[in-house]
């Protein structure tokens, strides 16, 4: 348990030390929010009586969390490059605790970024529908962040190269972002793409955030089980991959 | 004396390539053991197996009586390691690097602050303890690593080419302290090096390995006697020949070399 805590502690500490990175990581979601919010706001089909910003903001929060979480796999590659990974691999702790420590720490920092974006939404006219939900919003953000941290870190264990990791991860994340309901209703998609939206796990992350933040109904149990199920599956695969790391 | 390292029929294969080919040797408690060989001889692979980074393909390795395959954490608690290249977290201070190490090795929290301060004082870095490691020179980093490697009171100290790229002062500091620790605390030392003068001066026992096989084992005197040479370097060349060995470079190495060339800071 101690190793999990200490790896987590380190991720959080280094996150707060690097103010520049925090600032840079918020620029992109805020741009998305402003561009989509003002650009598409008027044309959003208002049939359900939902205003666009209530629909959009949870998607942007989800995107912020997904991107920063997957990219936190970079820290593993840094540690390979700078040798610190070796120090942790020869310590008398299990690889599983190293993996989960890193990912819990990364999930905490991604959640903090998600909260920043949530409150930035207030400048755009967003309002949390029910403040009683706030603790649940944080918990949901954290689980989404944990899922994508596990994904990013597990994949990072197979990379040695600082250049290719971010580009491959972008290649993975772009379709997840755009072939989802994060920014718009996918109702006008051709059937084939609608099918992709249905099997896109990010979709379910956005659904749950949207329900908790804006009260927009969706199948809560399905979303929760998809997220928890994937955390378990990717956690198992990640543990396996972590055990195979050789330095 | 007791055997503190036992290696029996150790073999490590990477696909078709046999890096370590059925080697056997023991290290007695309190020895300073030099593991020598040309590039690609199997030194690093062996040390990685002994320090639980790699799993052996076959054979048995016992460190401080514990099996490297079955009792990994017991092995890890028994050993301190100073790697060939830096393994510090540059975004942390010297103190924090040691603090995280203490936590990973489950050293009790009580008195840890004093313990870290004392050991940093011992390596002459107490004044710099709250500076980030990224601002340290190569020699200072090495001293932090020595302090870290000793923090959990290991019974065996592994050093993988520990003096590469160090200035004369840090090199002298390192070997003097290794000898001192060996004499005062009876810490067993296992090291690899390309510097044969160093090895000849420091080691009480030497093994020379090439093409994954151990060619000779003994005290420096015995090695010279058996090969009828007058220095360890001559003995080494007599045994391993004059061919220059190609060195395999993997991705991580390439990345490190690039970093060293560019002198890059992190982020």
């Amino acid at each position: 348990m101690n190793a999990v805590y200490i790896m987590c502690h380190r991720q959080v500490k280094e996150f707060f030390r690097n103010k520049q990175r925090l600032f840079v990581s918020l620029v992109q979601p805020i741009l998305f929010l402003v561009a989509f919010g003002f650009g598409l706001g008027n044309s959003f089909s208002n049939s359900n009586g939902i205003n666009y910003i209530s629909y959009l903001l949870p998607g942007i929060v989800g995107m912020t969390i997904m991107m920063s979480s997957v990219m936190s796999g970079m820290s593993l590659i840094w540690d390979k490059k700078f040798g610190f990974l070796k120090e942790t691999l020869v310590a008398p702790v299990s690889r599983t605790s190293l993996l989960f420590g890193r990912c819990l720490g990364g999930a905490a920092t991604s959640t903090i970024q998600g909260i920043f974006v949530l409150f930035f939404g207030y400048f755009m006219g967003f309002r949390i529908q029910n403040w009683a939900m706030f603790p649940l919003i944080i918990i949901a953000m954290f689980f989404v962040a944990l899922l994508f941290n596990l994904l990013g870190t597990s994949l990072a264990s197979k990379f040695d190269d600082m250049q290719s990791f971010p580009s491959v991860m972008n290649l993975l994340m772009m379709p997840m972002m755009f072939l989802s309901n994060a920014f718009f209703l996918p109702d006008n998609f051709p059937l084939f793409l609608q099918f992709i939206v249905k099997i896109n796990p990010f979709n379910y992350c956005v659904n749950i955030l949207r329900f908790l933040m804006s009260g927009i109904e969706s199948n809560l149990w399905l979303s929760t089980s998809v997220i928890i199920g994937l955390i378990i599956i990717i956690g198992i695969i990640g543990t396996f991959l972590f055990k195979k790391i050789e330095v | 004396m007791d055997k503190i390292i036992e290696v029996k029929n150790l073999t490590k294969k990477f696909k078709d390539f046999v890096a370590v080919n059925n080697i056997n040797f023991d290290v007695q408690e309190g020895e300073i053991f030099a593991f020598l060989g040309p590039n690609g001889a199997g030194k690093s692979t062996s040390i990685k197996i002994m320090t639980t980074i790699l799993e052996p393909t076959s054979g048995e390795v016992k460190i401080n009586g514990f099996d490297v395959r079955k009792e990994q954490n017991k092995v890890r608690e028994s050993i301190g390691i100073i790697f060939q290249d830096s393994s510090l977290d540059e975004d942390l201070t010297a103190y924090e690097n040691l603090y995280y190490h203490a936590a990973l090795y489950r050293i009790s929290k009580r008195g840890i602050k004093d313990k870290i301060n004392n050991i940093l004082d011992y390596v002459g870095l107490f004044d710099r303890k709250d500076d980030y490691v990224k601002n340290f020179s190569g020699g200072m980093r090495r001293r932090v690593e020595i302090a870290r490697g000793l923090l959990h009171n290991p019974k065996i100290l592994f050093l993988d080419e520990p003096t590469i790229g160090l200035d004369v002062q840090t090199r002298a500091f390192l070997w003097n302290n290794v000898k001192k620790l060996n004499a005062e605390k009876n810490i067993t030392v296992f090291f690899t090096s390309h510097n044969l003068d160093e090895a000849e001066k420091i080691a009480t026992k030497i093994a020379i390995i090439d093409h994954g096989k151990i060619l000779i084992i003994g005290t420096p005197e015995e090695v010279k006697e058996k090969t009828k040479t007058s220095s360890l370097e001559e003995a080494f060349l007599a045994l391993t020949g004059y061919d220059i060995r190609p060195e395999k470079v993997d991705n991580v190495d390439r990345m490190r070399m690039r970093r060293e060339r560019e002198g890059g800071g992190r982020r």
Side-chain angles (χ1 to χ4, degrees):
Chain A
M1 223 35 219
N2 213 355
V4 174
Y5 169 74
I6 208 72
M7 291 309 291
C8 177
H9 189 269
R10 168 174 174 261
Q11 295 295 109
V12 176
K13 178 179 249 174
E14 293 190 352
F15 172 77
F16 279 112
R17 275 198 183 154
N18 202 326
K19 307 271 184 311
Q20 190 190 344
R21 197 161 47 128
L22 171 63
F23 177 75
V24 169
S25 69
L26 293 176
V27 169
Q28 196 173 2
I30 287 171
L31 274 174
F32 267 77
L33 190 60
V34 170
F36 278 119
F38 289 123
L40 288 178
N42 293 331
S43 52
F44 185 71
S45 57
N46 216 355
S47 53
N48 311 328
I50 306 157
N51 78 36
Y52 184 50
I53 197 75
S54 314
Y55 183 86
L56 176 69
L57 188 81
I60 302 281
V61 168
M63 177 196 86
T64 310
I65 291 173
M66 173 170 75
M67 296 219 302
S68 74
S69 295
V70 169
M71 285 306 174
S72 74
M74 261 322 251
S75 81
L76 183 71
I77 299 175
W78 277 109
D79 284 348
K80 263 186 209 173
K81 180 180 176 184
F82 284 83
F84 186 73
L85 184 67
K86 257 193 288 195
E87 152 78 359
T88 59
L89 294 186
V90 296
V93 295
S94 71
R95 299 243 171 139
T96 316
S97 61
L98 294 175
L99 170 69
F100 277 89
R102 298 185 85 100
C103 289
L104 289 169
T109 63
S110 299
T111 304
I112 292 164
Q113 294 177 49
I115 295 170
F116 269 109
V117 174
L118 168 62
F119 285 112
F120 186 84
Y122 268 67
F123 293 110
M124 300 282 298
F126 175 80
R127 297 293 176 265
I128 289 180
Q129 220 232 352
N130 178 0
W131 274 97
M133 290 292 190
F134 193 67
L136 283 179
I137 294 174
I138 307 284
I139 292 169
M141 283 187 190
F142 186 82
F143 275 89
V144 171
L146 180 61
L147 164 60
F148 286 108
N149 261 279
L150 284 166
L151 180 69
T153 306
S154 306
L155 290 171
S157 72
K158 301 300 278 179
F159 282 80
D160 301 326
D161 178 355
M162 322 225 55
Q163 275 86 35
S164 56
F165 182 74
S167 30
V168 175
M169 290 307 111
N170 274 320
L171 203 66
L172 181 78
M173 284 191 289
M174 286 301 154
M176 288 218 276
M177 255 161 60
F178 288 106
L179 302 181
S180 79
N181 59 3
F183 310 125
F184 30 73
L185 290 166
D187 296 354
N188 293 332
F189 276 11
L191 277 179
F192 164 68
L193 286 181
Q194 289 201 17
F195 171 73
I196 292 187
V197 172
K198 283 248 170 358
I199 57 165
N200 177 359
F202 181 56
N203 215 36
Y204 297 96
C205 301
V206 173
N207 277 345
I208 204 163
L209 292 174
R210 196 168 271 154
F211 172 74
L212 296 170
M213 286 161 69
S214 306
I216 297 169
E217 292 291 335
S218 62
N219 190 337
L220 205 59
W221 296 118
L222 176 65
S223 303
T224 312
S225 359
V226 167
I227 293 169
I228 303 287
L230 281 175
I231 287 176
I232 294 168
I233 294 167
I234 299 175
I236 292 168
I237 297 172
T239 303
F240 175 77
L241 290 174
F242 240 61
K243 287 195 172 139
K244 295 250 155 206
I245 295 180
E246 292 181 349
V247 282
Chain B
M1 281 202 289
D2 290 327
K3 289 178 198 166
I4 198 152
I5 300 177
E6 290 172 75
V7 177
K8 273 189 210 135
N9 308 323
L10 173 65
T11 297
K12 177 71 185 175
K13 287 182 193 162
F14 296 103
K15 289 176 189 141
D16 296 336
F17 176 69
V18 185
V20 176
N21 190 354
N22 197 24
I23 63 171
N24 290 280
F25 66 90
D26 297 325
V27 177
Q28 310 292 326
E29 189 167 7
E31 274 183 338
I32 301 182
F33 195 98
F35 204 53
L36 310 173
N39 287 335
K43 300 187 300 287
S44 286
T45 305
S46 309
I47 222 168
K48 279 178 180 169
I49 292 169
M50 286 188 264
T51 54
T52 75
I53 296 175
L54 282 181
E55 290 228 328
T57 308
S58 64
E60 194 183 37
V61 179
K62 278 191 174 170
I63 305 290
N64 195 23
F66 302 114
D67 189 300
V68 292
R69 239 195 286 238
K70 294 175 202 129
E71 296 159 298
Q72 282 192 335
N73 285 350
K74 295 269 189 207
V75 171
R76 290 166 178 172
E77 279 164 14
S78 318
I79 62 178
I81 309 168
I82 292 164
F83 294 105
Q84 193 172 341
D85 31 42
S86 174
S87 62
L88 298 168
D89 186 336
E90 308 202 340
D91 285 342
L92 298 175
T93 66
Y95 181 89
E96 288 166 345
N97 264 288
L98 267 61
Y99 184 82
Y100 280 100
H101 181 85
L104 285 172
Y105 283 74
R106 296 190 207 94
I107 300 173
S108 107
K109 263 205 168 134
R110 195 178 304 147
I112 191 63
K113 202 175 162 193
D114 289 337
K115 194 167 183 199
I116 294 174
N117 286 339
N118 283 340
I119 207 157
L120 280 173
D121 192 37
Y122 175 73
V123 297
L125 286 173
F126 181 72
D127 302 342
R128 304 289 305 268
K129 73 186 173 83
D130 295 323
D131 287 353
Y132 289 115
V133 168
K134 61 183 158 205
N135 300 324
F136 281 11
S137 70
M140 289 162 75
R141 286 169 194 224
R142 187 87 323 179
R143 281 187 278 160
V144 177
E145 290 184 299
I146 296 168
R148 189 180 67 181
L150 295 171
L151 190 62
H152 56 283
N153 298 322
K155 300 200 72 172
I156 309 166
L157 193 58
F158 282 93
L159 305 112
D160 191 7
E161 299 186 23
T163 54
I164 278 188
L166 292 187
D167 64 358
V168 181
Q169 281 76 14
T170 312
R171 218 156 60 207
F173 173 88
L174 188 137
W175 289 129
N176 287 339
N177 281 291
V178 163
K179 275 202 276 190
K180 208 167 111 187
L181 287 162
N182 175 257
E184 287 171 5
K185 296 190 173 174
N186 202 30
I187 294 182
T188 308
V189 178
F190 186 99
F191 73 97
T192 68
S193 179
H194 282 303
N195 188 328
L196 298 172
D197 289 337
E198 254 174 29
E200 190 170 358
K201 264 186 253 163
I202 309 288
T204 56
K205 199 121 178 231
I206 282 167
I208 296 177
I209 177 172
D210 197 9
H211 302 296
K213 285 208 169 274
I214 290 184
L215 303 176
I216 199 166
I217 227 170
T219 64
E221 284 68 38
E222 285 167 1
V223 170
K224 283 183 279 185
E225 227 167 80
K226 275 188 209 161
T227 52
K228 300 187 180 66
T229 50
S230 60
S231 76
L232 189 58
E233 184 152 334
E234 285 171 32
F236 184 88
L237 287 169
L239 288 163
T240 60
Y242 283 82
D243 291 342
I244 291 170
R245 310 305 167 83
E247 196 169 7
K248 203 179 110 263
V249 177
D250 66 18
N251 249 333
V252 175
D253 288 332
R254 226 174 286 138
M255 209 155 62
R256 287 206 187 99
M257 280 192 272
R258 202 183 306 144
R259 168 182 62 133
E260 267 145 35
R261 261 203 319 273
E262 293 160 1
R266 183 167 173 175
R267 282 180 205 124

